[in-house]
Amino acid sequence: MRSVYRALAGLIAIGVIVQAMAIALAWFTVIKDVDGGLVLDENSDANAGHMIHTIVGSGIIPLLAILLLIISFFAKVAGGVRWALYVFGLVVLQFGLAVASFGAPVIGALHGLNAFALLAVAAMAARRAATQPVTAAAAATA
């Protein structure tokens, strides 16, 4: 279970990196298209970068965070439940900041900043699971 915990936390961290790459792709594509004469308005379709950002951010990362929280109760990682709760809380905050950013775009800066916090906390959770020695008692119960 410790390995599953580590993998889930690592996948969340990788997901945040994918998110940054996807949103950069999305907006550089928009800039290129607008420079090429395309008009961007409420009738415009999302491009591949926007679609990836939406799918990973509103589907995959929240699912991984829920799974991490569930697994944390069985993984026997010292502080693992607490770190999984931090990750889950930051994911919930990230979603809330994204929704709020559509009404107040300045909040988008906090959405970007929170992504760095999520990356760091998820990576720290994965590292804690990887660096803790397996005791004889933990190995016997696993």
Side-chain angles (χ1 to χ4, degrees):
M1 283 300 207
R2 178 187 301 270
S3 297
V4 174
Y5 181 98
R6 180 180 176 201
L8 288 170
L11 286 171
I12 292 167
I14 291 168
V16 174
I17 294 167
V18 169
Q19 286 291 84
M21 294 169 61
I23 205 63
L25 169 64
W27 286 106
F28 282 114
T29 300
V30 168
I31 292 167
K32 177 189 161 290
D33 290 346
V34 169
D35 283 349
L38 189 69
V39 174
L40 180 68
D41 64 11
E42 69 273 1
N43 298 314
S44 300
D45 291 329
N47 62 39
H50 287 117
M51 300 287 269
I52 293 167
H53 191 79
T54 298
I55 292 166
V56 173
S58 63
I60 296 172
I61 290 177
L63 177 63
L64 293 172
I66 291 167
L67 291 173
L68 178 67
L69 185 56
I70 292 167
I71 293 298
S72 72
F73 291 102
F74 308 103
K76 296 191 179 20
V77 173
V81 173
R82 183 173 26 131
W83 283 93
L85 281 168
Y86 293 157
V87 168
F88 184 77
L90 288 170
V91 169
V92 170
L93 177 60
Q94 188 71 345
F95 189 80
L97 290 170
V99 171
S101 294
F102 289 105
V106 70
I107 295 173
L110 296 176
H111 179 75
L113 183 61
N114 190 63
F116 289 122
L118 178 57
L119 172 64
V121 170
M124 192 67 177
R127 183 170 170 85
R128 290 179 64 83
T131 59
Q132 288 181 353
V134 178
T135 64
T141 59

